[in-house]
Amino acid sequence: VPFSPEAAGQLNMYLNYYATEVNDVDDNPPIGLILCTDKNNIDVEYALGGLSNQIFASKYVGERQTVSEAWQPSGSVPMR
């Protein structure tokens, strides 16, 4: 699902609720993470700008990998 500003608004509401009703006094503030298949950086900037909560949007790639590919260190060539 591509990034949507509505998701940012809804997550902001949930974070406000959690911070007020669930967090203990000694807890850190909650953060939000929106995983999306595609994001337009301008949309993300305007949707998340000015919010007091920490909300991050990140693109994910749903790609099947073999076990050997998944366990390769960063920058190494996958075994075939």
Side-chain angles (χ1 to χ4, degrees):
V1 175
F3 175 82
S4 71
E6 295 83 6
Q10 187 173 14
L11 184 55
N12 190 52
M13 180 187 72
Y14 292 148
L15 292 174
N16 286 331
Y17 169 81
Y18 196 90
T20 303
E21 302 296 332
V22 179
N23 263 16
D24 289 329
V25 175
D26 296 331
D27 288 343
N28 290 324
I31 63 167
L33 179 61
I34 300 171
L35 297 175
C36 44
T37 57
D38 192 23
K39 66 175 186 169
N40 177 321
N41 288 335
I42 298 297
D43 290 346
V44 171
E45 181 180 337
Y46 288 138
L48 300 182
L51 296 178
S52 60
N53 289 310
Q54 292 186 22
I55 301 177
F56 305 94
S58 182
K59 181 179 177 180
Y60 72 91
V61 179
E63 183 177 302
R64 290 189 172 268
Q65 296 179 324
T66 66
V67 172
S68 62
E69 290 172 334
W71 286 96
Q72 289 301 309
S74 178
S76 66
V77 178
M79 297 171 23
R80 296 280 176 200

